[in-house]
Amino acid sequence: MQTRPKQGKTQHTQGAVPVGSGRTPVERRGGKRHFVRHYLEMVVAMVVGMLVLGAVTRGVLALAGTELSASRHPELASLEMAFDMSVGMAVWMRRRGHGWASTLEMCGAMFVPALALFPLLWLDVITGDSLIALEHLVMLPLMFLVMVRRRSEYGC
């Protein structure tokens, strides 16, 4: 007779799925289709995070009588957007059973483009408005590279 682990307490293994959760570990699902699906799910989670938390941020700032604009405060607007997307993606990744290491790596992929582009902004090579567009252009392939780095965890 096989016994099931007690529900409630979970143990984490190398960034996979909690033991006793009843779910299959991410790395066992396999396949390129799963990899692509997971990538798209993370993009959707980022967009949801950006829209929901961005709306909350704009609402709070409006109540305070101020705003955060990409043209006047490009660094802050860029970091706020990266934070909002990271929260949405981190919630989804943790829900899917990913460990903190891979979750934080993926969140880093949201911030690295902004930090790399700031010097170009300060040197007037790019404008504040173009910073966010370029940040999005760079972060999507960077997310892909992070996933390829841990391809066994993402199902490929």
Side-chain angles (χ1 to χ4, degrees):
M1 178 173 185
Q2 189 176 10
T3 60
R4 291 185 59 123
K6 290 182 183 179
Q7 296 297 328
K9 277 195 169 186
T10 59
Q11 299 172 349
H12 291 280
T13 61
Q14 185 95 26
V17 173
V19 175
S21 68
R23 293 186 291 167
T24 308
V26 174
E27 60 268 7
R28 289 193 190 155
R29 292 182 190 157
K32 290 179 184 172
R33 186 173 156 184
H34 178 72
F35 185 88
V36 170
R37 186 178 125 222
H38 188 73
Y39 180 85
L40 294 174
E41 286 175 357
M42 288 197 307
V43 170
V44 169
M46 287 167 39
V47 170
V48 169
M50 186 172 57
L51 292 174
V52 172
L53 293 176
V56 169
T57 301
R58 284 187 300 279
V60 168
L61 290 174
L63 289 173
T66 188
E67 67 176 344
L68 187 61
S69 81
S71 56
R72 291 191 308 150
H73 307 49
E75 296 94 336
L76 289 176
S78 174
L79 292 172
E80 183 260 334
M81 182 202 59
F83 176 80
D84 295 347
M85 291 190 304
S86 293
V87 169
M89 188 172 41
V91 167
W92 186 248
M93 287 182 70
R94 295 296 294 167
R95 170 85 175 95
R96 299 270 286 156
H98 291 278
W100 280 112
S102 57
T103 301
L104 294 175
E105 277 180 353
M106 196 58 75
C107 291
M110 302 301 99
F111 287 93
V112 167
L115 299 176
L117 290 167
F118 284 172
L120 296 176
L121 176 72
W122 300 330
L123 294 171
D124 290 325
V125 174
I126 60 173
T127 66
D129 292 325
S130 65
L131 172 67
I132 290 182
L134 290 170
E135 188 176 353
H136 279 94
L137 268 170
V138 174
M139 76 177 51
L140 292 172
L142 199 55
M143 283 174 53
F144 178 79
L145 292 174
V146 170
M147 287 180 69
V148 167
R149 180 184 180 290
R150 291 185 181 264
R151 73 178 62 90
S152 64
E153 184 173 338
Y154 291 100
C156 188

